[in-house]
Amino acid sequence: MHSRWPRLDGLAYGGDYNPEQWPEEVWTEDVALMREAGVTLVSVGVFSWGMLEPRPGEYEFGWLDRVLGLLHDAGIAVDLGTPTVAAPPWFLLHHPQARPVTREGLPYGNGTRQVHCPSSPAYAAASSAITRELALRYGGHPAVVMWHVNNEYGAPLGECYCETSAAAFRDWLRARYGDVATLNDRWGAAFWSQRYGHWDEIEPPRTSGTVVNPALRLDYARFSNDALLDCFIRERDILHELAPGIPVTTNFMATNCKSVDYWRWAPEVDVISNDNYLVAERSDNYLELAMSADMTRSLAGGGPWLLMEHSTSAVSWQPRNIAKRPGEMRRNSLAHVARGADGALFFQWRASRYGAEKHHSAMLPQGGTDTRIWREVVGLGAELAGLSALAGTVVESDIAILWDWESWWAQELEWRPSAALGYLDRIRAWYEASWRAGLTADFASPGADLSRYRLVIAPSLYLTTEAAAANLGAYVAGGGTLLAGCFSGIVDAWDRVHPGPYPGALRDVLGVTVEEWLPLREGERVTLTWEESAPAAVSGATVWTEAVKLAGGKPVAWYADGPAAGGPAVTRNDLGEGQAWYVSAATDQPATAALLAAVCEAAGVSAPARPAAGAAWPRDLEITRRAGPAGRFVTLINHGSDTAEILLGGRLVSVPSGEVRVIEGDTA
Amino acid sequence: MHSRWPRLDGLAYGGDYNPEQWPEEVWTEDVALMREAGVTLVSVGVFSWGMLEPRPGEYEFGWLDRVLGLLHDAGIAVDLGTPTVAAPPWFLLHHPQARPVTREGLPYGNGTRQVHCPSSPAYAAASSAITRELALRYGGHPAVVMWHVNNEYGAPLGECYCETSAAAFRDWLRARYGDVATLNDRWGAAFWSQRYGHWDEIEPPRTSGTVVNPALRLDYARFSNDALLDCFIRERDILHELAPGIPVTTNFMATNCKSVDYWRWAPEVDVISNDNYLVAERSDNYLELAMSADMTRSLAGGGPWLLMEHSTSAVSWQPRNIAKRPGEMRRNSLAHVARGADGALFFQWRASRYGAEKHHSAMLPQGGTDTRIWREVVGLGAELAGLSALAGTVVESDIAILWDWESWWAQELEWRPSAALGYLDRIRAWYEASWRAGLTADFASPGADLSRYRLVIAPSLYLTTEAAAANLGAYVAGGGTLLAGCFSGIVDAWDRVHPGPYPGALRDVLGVTVEEWLPLREGERVTLTWEESAPAAVSGATVWTEAVKLAGGKPVAWYADGPAAGGPAVTRNDLGEGQAWYVSAATDQPATAALLAAVCEAAGVSAPARPAAGAAWPRDLEITRRAGPAGRFVTLINHGSDTAEILLGGRLVSVPSGEVRVIEGDTA
Amino acid sequence: MHSRWPRLDGLAYGGDYNPEQWPEEVWTEDVALMREAGVTLVSVGVFSWGMLEPRPGEYEFGWLDRVLGLLHDAGIAVDLGTPTVAAPPWFLLHHPQARPVTREGLPYGNGTRQVHCPSSPAYAAASSAITRELALRYGGHPAVVMWHVNNEYGAPLGECYCETSAAAFRDWLRARYGDVATLNDRWGAAFWSQRYGHWDEIEPPRTSGTVVNPALRLDYARFSNDALLDCFIRERDILHELAPGIPVTTNFMATNCKSVDYWRWAPEVDVISNDNYLVAERSDNYLELAMSADMTRSLAGGGPWLLMEHSTSAVSWQPRNIAKRPGEMRRNSLAHVARGADGALFFQWRASRYGAEKHHSAMLPQGGTDTRIWREVVGLGAELAGLSALAGTVVESDIAILWDWESWWAQELEWRPSAALGYLDRIRAWYEASWRAGLTADFASPGADLSRYRLVIAPSLYLTTEAAAANLGAYVAGGGTLLAGCFSGIVDAWDRVHPGPYPGALRDVLGVTVEEWLPLREGERVTLTWEESAPAAVSGATVWTEAVKLAGGKPVAWYADGPAAGGPAVTRNDLGEGQAWYVSAATDQPATAALLAAVCEAAGVSAPARPAAGAAWPRDLEITRRAGPAGRFVTLINHGSDTAEILLGGRLVSVPSGEVRVIEGDTA
């Protein structure tokens, strides 16, 4: 019925375009400058509900007709927004019961975006109506190549605690569990006298005197994700029905949105697209960027995806919005492309003169075209046009890293062994080690088919269902190498501890038991060694250690000191055709890198290039490959301050500081 | 009518037992393992309301009958809970007006424990009903030796601000003051236009634009304490009436619950029991433990008490839940016993698989019996059985430290001279000095009979009633030695400054006036010296100094620098047969220790042992005595990393690091 | 109709007098001690509503009659309060809808001061009634020389978000904009779908899921200021009508109250008066004091004003309320006088025994008259009597510094380029530099007539209206020297970015464009040099730099490093007869001082004294001049620890540490 990719050639280039903020005379200039910059695709109307439907049921489409016409005449394709993230002010006046409510019980005010409860029937009706009107009017417009539904679902509001949500939650539970007795069992309702006799007794997990049932928290997170996903599906289905053939996207925030489980969303979306904004204070934020891009590609099943938003320079919502340095925007954009994006778009085309985001950078800054940013924007447009051969090629990855939103939710509830052991911290540690080793990682769900990977890392899998444990066991038995990080395998989908010694669901796969968790004090640090009683240090760990006992596994590294001193810190278990490693500590970067090198060697995984003779691998060099019928392309991006030299296919390649090289040809 | 101590032999051992969380087949294993561990007493049913009364007025007692039968058959006594701390989910559905409300005006949600307003009539009815049912059914059960009413009153909720509470507060005020004019006088209502014309004008001290009348705050703290105490008394009276002969307890949190004035509770409770959880990050948390135990003993009037809960290893509600090291649980348990506990119980018997506390350590860990913890639990059970002679003996104390909840409340209201001068900080400073000097301290209320003590320390007594001041004056005049800490004697029971120069109520006793408080800046530190113009330093002080003028007292130490430089820092006043010392600064540990040594010498107080020849007293050695008809026992616990040696009754006693020695015989 | 200055001779001396807190026998002692201390003026009844109107409409004036009689008999003048800041408890009971509500939606409680919504009709009625009664009864009383309306408008509550306020806000908007289309334009309502169709759709900017429209925030700040001002004007008009001839004041908190735009208040007030409380932790808080005094004088149009409240020693509401050192109160009081105050009053006369402020210092401390504070109070009274010639003289100022509450509001909304760039920080930096250079600064509104100043500094003028820009341009063209600080000229009155390159409204005046803001990272620091490629450092900057391009202006200093390295940091533009300097970085103290010296030299501004031969200017010496028909007086206050020596009119003047010298005669 509908294509999974928009009618676009080469790599898309452009950004959010909000013409409703400008008088019409500016539109002409916009389109001319877009052409100068090589813009091929713009997202239009994402926040325009109030301009399209100024009063309930009264529509003003004329301005949008003219905008689309201008763009189409200029050969610029349109990703047309359903503007449903920001209901106009009339909405809450007419539907006060649709107002979102915080966990503390406070209603949110108007005067901003997302002023609706996701479960509100009034919102469902109003958002469906405007979506239907847009589909009918523009579904056949030649400029429209894609629908952009809503915007960044889950931010700022991932959860609502109003009475409407409470009732919807009870319906959701009834559908999930059938009867209250089953719910009581799953939720461990015997604890603290929480046994339910009737669905009506159930409330959302509102702020309480002390900790709320963790299973209730988890199910509310699932329900909230589903409530948002239902909003998306409702609009998508309207669009599919009324405007067949036009693919639908909604912009994700891949690794930056805790409240949305994108593994559940990805199959529902025609085109995977992503927004990526960096933590400006961090000078190594290209690591974050890579992680976000790899996750987006993984959500797209390894196929192409779109970078829907990033910034040309500073954002405006961080404490200190550091501007990007010359060349940095280019490196950012090309890094996304190198990791599978078939287009790089920005928020936004022209900097707003007013509103909450006017100090956010744009393709066309407040200062106009005589600016560094504009010149770089034009340059990038030309460069992307020259790289159109990359479009449609597929990224080659080396390993998989497991990522699971449910485990993230569960691990970071209150009353955990150590609040200092963060879910993302462990993911980032292993991701960074693999990036710096020159490897490209896919992300995968714990239940996914992993058989095509030689190495799978599960840095942080506190919540491990029995099905996931079985999947991982089968993967290892079938010849795979699994490396599991500390505090994994502990609970089931309702935060119930798996019976028997830790690590519960993964005990048999890993061949160890953990007698006790030994979290470290603030500032405490322990040393890991390769030998039981020798000084060859793997290096250190902080935050977390464990008292590990071998149960089939063999020791790989030892605790030299700390509360687990003398015990195994890292183990390896031979299982079937494969191996399962266990790293029981929150290792620091040196230790993580050393352990990654060891497990890669065991698994037969290696980087696609080699260090130059007598030199170390340049740790700030990004290397990725895309390949397809059109050829094979290696992208090298040097984020460091020195020239990087490597051997690629036996040839010495040199990349100056800050530079990017896209090398075509079979370099393996 | 009812005994004040349960039918128990020797030292009790056991923990909270929550069989409702487990299938019945596990119960048999539980009881067998309890016997293996030497368990003699378990608390049952503390959170079981939802399992006992699944629908209002419908009871299910069969499972509890079977549990009690199993335990009784195994010779294990039961401390049976009234489960009233955690109303089932049906309660708030049927009684929405019973929902607690925060000071900010936010209602609390369901899905956890303590979801009721303490002043709620609906809660009074429902909690009385289940208590009555339990008393009728189990009052004569042979296993039941004690009632465990509710749980940790005051936590998490010490105060509720709902309309029901507001009305109850007005009733409480009417009963206390009789007429509004008296209330206006006590509350200083002339300030900021707060004169009341009618009771109905009075509200709880809700969050306001700025500081609320401190006397209103204090009376609300008193009212809130009384509201909780009324809940306890209501259940206790039912149990006494329907189950005569079975003593009643409720578990205190002696020094760790600001909202409950245990001096007012202790006379209402048959058996004083306490829960003690340590701050895991602190390696010297044995000081806290000792303080908590000494307070509990003091609440018990020096008689025996029960350690109702502590942990075998880590708890789960602190930021980093550091596990106890091997031997640490044993030292903790025996330290409680050494300070008067006739039993050591844990939360909980078997680690939960689900709920908010599943990651809390237990006697039987998730890992089962092949664990360090289980082995230590079994060892401790055997050791306690061997120490049964200690049961019923009485702790010998050396000094008294004054502790007053009302002064704590008053001192820590807003708008004080220095928010950095904490009530507990000063208590802890003097407590630590006495612990490290080998002394055992009782805690006492400022109005208590102090005549049996040679030395009484009042580290922090900002609120000092005229009655308390007269009591302290009489104590000194009768030959006692009083040491009062800075910022004492300032206000009366309604936070009204005593007329005339500071220290108001204590001016005459101490023989000084304080012209001005001289709080120090962040990081500022002053030096105290023994002579007016000589360098012999007592050592330092931070946070607080005062401009002291002698008014009969004599200087003991001087400020060498800081804003009070040249003035007296510590004074001594001879009054009748005794002495009253005043320490006007927030002294650091060296200064506090030196001053304690000086005042002890003056008062004729000395430790029960001496340092080994040529050695200093081992500062990490805990020493206590219990004595009774069965004999006299000195307990030595070495918390340090070196072997400790002391002279006990002329005999050299050596205690290795981490070890405990219980020495019987007259060692004085 | 009414005089603009009260019937007072010489310099007023006294404080808040709250006799309602004391029995009548104390009043006689009070008056006798006031005479001993030289008190000439007291503020009476500021918080006495509850004592004057104990029940609605029932008045008790007898006690106030007696107090005023006693004071008048002793020759002490009265500044009589309208007690409307603190409604009695009956007010909220009878008018629950008048309760203030926070931005989060939480109603505030009773039991404190300011329990009313400023827009409440019930409050308007009740406060008008008591004001009318007071005016009628005391308007002709010979002791009453001034009315003290309310107290510190804007603190603690500057804004209320209740439904009454919401309706009043809509009325205010309707009056301001006439139609919704105009409002939509000003507010940039096209952004995020905020176009309004009807006034009723508008809500106050309550807490929301994310950032609220900044123009809505700004207008709510304006509305809230106006709502308070309306309260003042309502009472003032009653007093003017019923008690003609008696001037009206209300006590400002000049530089310490963000929510009140005193530029709009000053013209409405007969006598400008101010409360000044210092940040006790800061040892250089005499800088704050001077800034506050200079602002108050500026609000008074350069004429005399009253220091209505300051403290004799510690306050009670800061975290650590450091007591003033001997002599410090005197220096504080005389510094206010030196900067134009014709009187120095304190909060309060006699320390309260109860209530929220009993630990606040007073003229008569809890310790009575045998105290350092009392002796200093008596000494200061005598000293001020000896300085009566200063009364009515006018301060001579050297420069003007621009201050704009609207720019403060706008700059510190959410989502700014750098939250670390604080409005006050930049003001303080330039103020301190001028203070330490011996200059006296006036503060001025950006729209004020600046023609009498040789140098005007605009440290922080993010919001610059076109009118203000024109005013500044005309000032420069007419021969003035303007120095503008970084991030100025950016937005209009609705936070809309001025079209074209930054600095928008000031681009032409300054002769530069700013291509990009380059905020610095936490801890990052850059160096400024006087030459493009030479090491002569102006010194450093943190937080903020900019990419500056010359557009007519000439470079004055350069960025030696950092993200703007190599670009101009400071520029100078010759425009008409004058110069406009631009400082694009957040300069540190050395750099700010060096740039101030340079611009002063260019503008022909110099201090009124010179350093002693061979010495540097003593940086902790305060120097100010007052002049009038009675003569010319230079006040020198040495806040440093060494004796300060300077050449004043060619004569060497020496001021010991901590001392004050008032030198009469023409010293220029």
Side-chain angles (χ1 to χ4, degrees), chain C residues 44 160 163 167-168 176 247 262 292 333 394 414 426 435 468 504 659:
Chain C
V44 175
C160 174
E163 284 306 316
R176 184 174 175 91
Y262 289 121
S292 168
S333 295
V394 170
E414 306 101 325
R426 291 293 85 208
W435 191 103
E659 266 306 324

Side-chain angles (χ1 to χ4, degrees), chain C residues 292-368:
Chain C
S292 168
D294 285 348
M295 172 59 90
T296 312
R297 181 186 66 250
S298 304
L299 291 166
W305 54 281
L306 279 177
L307 176 63
M308 185 60 81
E309 296 181 20
H310 69 322
S311 69
T312 59
S313 187
V315 299
S316 55
W317 44 268
Q318 297 182 7
R320 296 171 188 249
N321 296 288
I322 310 302
K324 293 188 180 178
R325 307 307 306 128
E328 191 172 353
M329 172 188 78
R330 175 184 172 234
R331 288 195 299 279
N332 289 166
S333 295
L334 293 178
H336 284 288
V337 170
R339 292 179 184 274
D342 271 8
L345 282 70
F346 294 95
F347 176 83
Q348 61 180 333
W349 163 251
R350 182 189 278 271
S352 301
R353 277 193 60 213
Y354 46 72
E357 301 199 288
K358 61 188 166 295
H359 296 317
H360 194 292
S361 62
M363 298 175 81
L364 185 58
Q366 307 281 7

Side-chain angles (χ1 to χ4, degrees), chain A residues 99 112 313 319 353 358 372, chain C residues 203 211 419 495 497 515-516:
Chain A
R99 194 181 290 275
T112 183
S313 187
R353 276 195 60 214
K358 63 188 164 295
R372 173 188 70 77
Chain C
E203 298 180 11
V211 174
D495 204 38
V497 177
E515 197 174 310
E516 199 169 8

Side-chain angles (χ1 to χ4, degrees), chain C residues 137-202:
Chain C
R137 188 173 189 97
Y138 299 110
H141 194 292
V144 176
V145 300
M146 188 163 53
W147 294 108
H148 180 296
V149 166
N150 206 276
N151 184 66
E152 296 177 348
Y153 279 103
L157 299 185
E159 299 178 321
C160 174
Y161 292 82
C162 73
E163 284 306 316
T164 302
S165 292
F169 180 47
R170 286 188 284 267
D171 290 343
W172 184 92
L173 291 169
R174 204 180 286 116
R176 184 174 175 91
Y177 296 114
D179 57 74
V180 177
T182 304
L183 176 141
N184 282 330
D185 172 68
R186 300 298 188 274
W187 283 15
F191 186 84
W192 279 3
S193 186
Q194 286 301 304
R195 187 162 74 162
Y196 293 93
H198 191 278
W199 299 106
D200 288 349
E201 293 168 11
I202 301 171

Side-chain angles (χ1 to χ4, degrees), chain A residues 104 188 191-195 203 207-211 213 415-417 419 462 495-497 502 515-516 521 549 563, chain B residues 47 50 54 86 89 99 109-113 156 280-281 313 316 319 321 325 353-354 358-359 366 370-372:
Chain A
E104 294 72 32
F191 186 83
W192 280 1
S193 186
Q194 287 301 304
R195 187 162 73 162
E203 298 181 10
T207 300
S208 296
T210 185
V211 174
N213 185 332
W415 291 17
R416 298 289 136 183
Y462 165 72
D495 203 38
R496 299 182 299 189
V497 176
Y502 314 125
E515 195 175 311
E516 198 169 11
R521 291 188 162 85
K549 291 195 294 191
Chain B
F47 291 95
R99 194 180 288 274
N110 216 335
T112 182
R113 70 201 248 194
E281 278 273 4
S313 187
S316 53
N321 296 289
R325 308 305 308 125
R353 276 194 60 213
Y354 44 74
K358 62 188 163 296
H359 296 316
Q366 307 280 6
D370 184 17
T371 54
R372 175 190 66 80

Side-chain angles (χ1 to χ4, degrees), chain B residues 28-384:
Chain B
T28 320
E29 185 190 75
D30 282 332
V31 170
L33 289 173
M34 285 179 191
R35 288 179 62 91
E36 180 180 333
V39 165
T40 63
L41 178 67
V42 290
S43 299
V44 174
V46 175
F47 291 95
S48 65
W49 193 347
M51 310 307 282
L52 295 173
E53 189 179 2
R55 281 158 302 278
E58 293 181 28
Y59 301 97
E60 292 182 4
F61 289 120
W63 67 270
L64 185 53
D65 294 348
R66 293 193 292 282
V67 167
L68 296 192
L70 276 174
L71 290 166
H72 184 61
D73 292 347
I76 297 165
V78 170
D79 170 36
L80 186 58
T82 70
T84 54
V85 73
W90 53 255
F91 178 72
L92 277 189
L93 181 66
H94 293 193
H95 306 291
Q97 77 284 11
R99 194 180 288 274
V101 172
T102 69
R103 196 176 167 218
E104 294 71 32
L106 295 167
Y108 271 148
N110 216 335
T112 182
R113 70 201 248 194
Q114 197 176 344
V115 295
H116 62 273
C117 160
S119 301
S120 157
Y123 172 73
S127 60
S128 294
I130 184 69
T131 299
R132 196 172 294 116
E133 294 293 327
L134 286 166
L136 289 170
R137 188 174 190 96
Y138 300 109
H141 194 290
V144 177
V145 299
M146 187 162 55
W147 294 107
H148 181 297
V149 167
N150 206 278
N151 185 65
E152 296 178 349
Y153 278 104
L157 299 183
E159 297 179 322
C160 174
Y161 292 82
C162 74
E163 285 305 315
T164 302
S165 292
F169 180 47
R170 286 188 284 268
D171 290 343
W172 184 92
L173 291 170
R174 204 180 287 116
R176 184 174 174 91
Y177 296 114
D179 57 75
V180 177
T182 304
L183 176 142
N184 282 329
D185 173 68
R186 300 298 188 276
W187 282 16
F191 186 84
W192 281 0
S193 186
Q194 286 302 304
R195 188 163 74 163
Y196 293 93
H198 191 279
W199 299 107
D200 288 349
E201 293 167 11
I202 301 172
E203 297 180 10
R206 297 189 174 113
T207 300
S208 296
T210 184
V211 174
V212 172
N213 186 332
L216 164 57
R217 300 288 306 272
L218 276 182
D219 265 354
Y220 207 72
R222 292 182 182 110
F223 157 76
S224 299
N225 175 69
D226 286 359
L228 293 171
L229 182 53
D230 286 350
C231 289
F232 169 75
I233 289 174
R234 189 169 54 230
E235 295 190 29
R236 181 205 62 188
D237 287 352
I238 293 169
L239 297 169
H240 278 180
E241 180 195 344
L242 301 182
I246 302 182
V248 173
T249 192
T250 185
N251 45 346
F252 290 173
M253 295 168 291
T255 48
N256 296 313
C257 186
K258 188 176 174 182
S259 59
V260 175
D261 180 350
Y262 290 121
W263 293 130
R264 302 209 45 230
W265 285 61
E268 307 290 346
V269 177
D270 298 333
V271 175
I272 299 292
S273 68
N274 196 52
D275 293 357
N276 181 259
Y277 294 101
L278 301 171
V279 175
E281 278 273 4
R282 295 199 57 161
S283 55
D284 65 350
N285 56 25
Y286 47 84
L287 293 170
E288 283 178 59
L289 181 157
M291 195 164 103
S292 168
D294 286 348
M295 172 59 90
T296 313
R297 180 187 66 250
S298 303
L299 291 166
W305 54 280
L306 278 177
L307 177 62
M308 185 61 80
E309 297 181 18
H310 69 322
S311 69
T312 59
S313 187
V315 298
S316 53
W317 45 269
Q318 298 182 8
R320 296 170 188 250
N321 296 289
I322 311 301
K324 293 188 181 179
R325 308 305 308 125
E328 191 173 353
M329 172 189 78
R330 174 185 174 234
R331 287 194 298 280
N332 290 168
S333 296
L334 293 178
H336 283 288
V337 169
R339 292 178 183 274
D342 271 7
L345 283 68
F346 295 94
F347 176 83
Q348 61 181 334
W349 163 250
R350 182 188 280 268
S352 300
R353 276 194 60 213
Y354 44 74
E357 300 199 289
K358 62 188 163 296
H359 296 316
H360 193 293
S361 62
M363 298 175 81
L364 185 59
Q366 307 280 6
T369 53
D370 184 17
T371 54
R372 175 190 66 80
I373 288 178
W374 176 255
R375 287 182 290 270
E376 293 199 22
V377 162
V378 172
L380 179 61
E383 185 164 13
L384 288 174

